[in-house]
Amino acid sequence: MSVPPVPYDPELEPGLAAFLDLVERIPLRADTILANRAHFATIIPPVEQMVADRPVDLSEHTVHGPEGAPDITLTVVRPRSGTSGAPALYSIHGGGMVLGNRFFGLDGLIDDVLRFRAVGISVEYRLAPENPAPAAVEDCYAGLLWTVAHAGELGIDPSRIVVTGASAGGGLAAGVALLARDRNGPAIAGQLLACPMLDDRNESVSTRQYDGIGAWDRNNNDTGWNALLGPARCTDAASPYAVPARMADLSGLPPAYLDVGAAEIFRDETTEYALRIWATGGQAELHVWAGGYHGFAGFSPDAEVSRSAVAARLSWLRRILRTG
């Protein structure tokens, strides 16, 4: 049955048009992943441009990956004045599990490093389909372990680490939180899941409302999940750490912040994930922004709903990180 889409906030429509013109030039299908990856790389500004004259120092660290897997690379961002006992933002980039690198979204991470006098860590994880699940989530978890082990030299308070991510990065952040719980790993202070990619089944009402429509549609989602899971997709063989919506037990997790647009495919699975955390007695803060497309706050920053979304995210971070 056809379901009409939720209309976009009119103030967001110019930003959505710019997003589609810049990012969605090549439909994302199995045979266009490499072409999309090459195009995506061209829209990520150079690191020097993102840093500009902002008072931060960047360092690169090659660290041990998961057992039997290649090393991984982390970019660490610190205030130039130095830190001691600072909060940390462990950032996982988006890109549908098949696109992007650790510099995607680095400009926003720099903003938060300066805003909270925090240390930012951005992890480079292996992409699908060359590296199917659970490669990506295991890489992200390995980077978190290194971060905690080196908290002293990084000037980090290991009790104030928030794992963050948007879209695919949000799904991977949720998976990292699950791994930390089940392996008795680091005690993460919070998980910030922005428009997260959580469920491989792609069957919700919101996915059907945005089939061929929007900044990340149902067809793109199929491509990303097929690349990540292959024949395990939509079966019980799919790892719940790679597909957090498949985890039967969501108890014992760190406080979660979940936000999503009402006019995008991930609305329903994000809402359901928050409901399931609450059902265990866990802490979750959920925001569903009226008329918001996928990633709207980044491409339509001056819209009223975008300003509200940013303010809500920062409020939650201040409370979790215990900063003024």
Side-chain angles (χ1 to χ4, degrees), residues 176-237:
V176 166
L178 292 166
L179 283 172
R181 179 196 68 180
D182 293 346
R183 294 178 179 175
N184 296 314
I188 300 166
Q191 50 179 325
L192 194 160
L193 315 179
C195 50
M197 184 176 176
L198 297 167
D199 193 341
D200 65 311
R201 287 161 287 199
N202 211 20
E203 293 176 347
S204 70
V205 170
S206 60
T207 64
R208 296 182 183 280
Q209 286 177 300
Y210 297 93
D211 188 341
I213 303 171
W216 179 263
D217 79 339
R218 191 166 188 257
N219 302 292
N220 291 351
N221 210 38
D222 274 331
T223 300
W225 283 119
N226 287 339
L228 185 72
L229 299 175
R233 186 178 173 206
C234 297
T235 74
D236 291 340

Side-chain angles (χ1 to χ4, degrees), residues 102-217:
R102 68 187 183 280
F103 303 116
F104 179 45
L106 189 69
D107 49 350
L109 181 60
I110 292 170
D111 287 341
D112 284 341
V113 163
L114 293 172
R115 182 178 283 120
F116 294 107
R117 288 203 50 77
V119 176
I121 304 95
S122 185
V123 57
E124 190 78 46
Y125 58 85
R126 288 170 289 169
L127 299 175
E130 298 91 338
N131 303 284
V137 72
E138 291 286 359
D139 285 353
C140 295
Y141 185 67
L144 176 67
L145 293 179
W146 180 89
T147 299
V148 172
H150 294 81
E153 65 192 71
L154 295 172
I156 290 172
D157 175 354
S159 73
R160 292 198 292 158
I161 298 175
V162 172
V163 178
T164 78
S167 195
L172 290 168
V176 166
L178 292 166
L179 283 172
R181 179 196 68 180
D182 293 346
R183 294 178 179 175
N184 296 314
I188 300 166
Q191 50 179 325
L192 194 160
L193 315 179
C195 50
M197 184 176 176
L198 297 167
D199 193 341
D200 65 311
R201 287 161 287 199
N202 211 20
E203 293 176 347
S204 70
V205 170
S206 60
T207 64
R208 296 182 183 280
Q209 286 177 300
Y210 297 93
D211 188 341
I213 303 171
W216 179 263
D217 79 339

Side-chain angles (χ1 to χ4, degrees), residues 10 15 34 42 61-62 64 72-73 76 82 87-88 101 113 120 180 194-195 206 261 275-276 288 293 309:
L34 293 181
T42 69
H61 302 265
T62 300
H64 290 304
I72 59 175
T73 303
V76 175
N101 58 42
V113 163
C195 50
S206 60
L275 287 168
R276 291 181 56 212
V288 182
Y293 61 86

